Amino acid sequence: AQSVTQLDSQVPVFEEAPVELRCNYSSSVSVYLFWYVQYPNQGLQLLLKYLSGSTLVKGINGFEAEFNKSQTSFHLRKPSVHISDTAEYFCAVSDNQGAQKLVFGQGTRLTINP
Amino acid sequence: DGGITQSPKYLFRKEGQNVTLSCEQNLNHDAMYWYRQDPGQGLRLIYYSQIVNDFQKGDIAEGYSVSREKKESFPLTVTSAQKNPTAFYLCASSRQGIDNQPQHFGDGTRLSIL
């Protein structure tokens, strides 16, 4: 079974500052990793995914994440945030065994201050 | 435009009443999923279906039921046996295949108890 831990429940940052949202996972098999963003009262939108290959993954809205197998981490970063990035961010993992069930972290609320 | 439609957006349930949440997709996806979202707990899988007329329990299936009579539709019934149904419910769908496809989400249904 897999599990995901998002190390920060809330992250406040100033506009145009860099941000890192941390995600650690555990699994006994190879995994696929995802970051989703959720704006208030909406569903989840995919930011980026890691399936295989290059460990640095670039996504939408200027976000990127790095897969680190030895540290079982998949941290999300953005070099300069904007007010519109205020949202909740979810890290998720699925195994590669076929059912594609996602296991989600608890979420990190990113708040951008002007 | 292709997507996932959840209805209604808001739903109220009386004690002892069953209610059904609708989820329809026109993405031609084989797999569909139902998640429950509670504050600070991320998303938890209720049921999923990989093919028409077949579905499996997720991590928190007790008090819920589903059907998958058509590829496009995956309704969720919250029964009176679910003692704490107040939550935000999200439906998702994905393609099946060897390359893990990301899940696409609807905009959710918020269920409250009267």
Side-chain angles (χ1 to χ4, degrees):
Chain A
Q2 296 86 40
S3 68
V4 178
T5 301
Q6 291 184 240
L7 297 160
D8 305 292
S9 60
Q10 297 186 57
V11 173
V13 296
F14 287 106
E15 193 172 15
E16 299 183 3
V19 69
E20 178 180 80
L21 306 183
R22 298 180 292 167
C23 172
N24 285 93
Y25 70 93
S26 68
S27 176
S28 57
V29 299
S30 297
V31 297
Y32 301 120
L33 293 156
F34 306 84
W35 274 99
Y36 284 87
V37 59
Q38 184 180 34
Y39 300 102
N41 294 312
Q42 293 186 24
L44 275 65
Q45 179 182 358
L46 181 70
L47 275 178
L48 48 78
K49 61 183 178 181
Y50 173 78
L51 304 181
S52 65
S54 173
T55 58
L56 183 62
V57 180
K58 293 191 182 296
I60 63 171
N61 301 341
F63 284 94
E64 63 181 32
E66 185 154 18
F67 170 59
N68 188 318
K69 188 175 182 179
S70 63
Q71 297 187 5
T72 60
S73 68
F74 191 55
H75 300 334
L76 181 70
R77 301 186 184 100
K78 186 169 182 178
S80 175
V81 295
H82 189 267
I83 290 284
S84 60
D85 292 322
T86 296
E88 188 142 22
Y89 292 79
F90 292 94
C91 181
V93 62
S94 72
D95 61 34
N96 58 3
Q97 305 302 304
Q100 299 179 2
K101 295 184 294 179
L102 286 174
V103 174
F104 285 87
Q106 301 92 327
T108 297
R109 183 166 299 279
L110 177 62
T111 303
I112 312 300
N113 299 307
Chain B
D1 288 339
I4 300 176
T5 301
Q6 289 188 243
S7 62
K9 193 170 180 66
Y10 300 94
L11 186 59
F12 298 92
R13 196 191 88 169
K14 295 180 181 178
E15 294 287 342
Q17 185 181 47
N18 293 354
V19 291
T20 298
L21 284 60
S22 171
C23 178
E24 304 277 332
Q25 54 99 359
N26 60 4
L27 299 166
N28 199 32
H29 286 170
D30 294 304
M32 297 186 74
Y33 312 80
W34 274 105
Y35 294 91
R36 171 181 171 138
Q37 185 177 15
D38 295 282
Q41 294 192 44
L43 281 72
R44 292 179 289 168
L45 182 65
I46 305 173
Y47 269 98
Y48 66 101
S49 167
Q50 294 177 272
I51 195 169
V52 174
N53 292 322
D54 188 44
F55 48 83
Q56 286 77 40
K57 293 181 179 180
D59 300 317
I60 55 165
E62 186 175 351
Y64 300 97
S65 66
V66 293
S67 63
R68 187 86 187 277
E69 298 176 2
K70 298 187 300 181
K71 187 176 185 178
E72 303 80 17
S73 178
F74 192 41
L76 173 74
T77 296
V78 184
T79 75
S80 57
Q82 173 48 245
K83 297 307 179 188
N84 185 24
T86 297
F88 191 48
Y89 291 87
L90 287 160
C91 179
S93 70
S94 69
R95 291 174 59 188
Q96 293 285 89
I98 58 173
D99 183 9
N100 194 292
Q101 295 294 316
Q103 293 181 17
H104 297 254
F105 286 80
D107 281 339
T109 293
R110 190 168 298 280
L111 176 62
S112 302
I113 299 301
L114 288 177

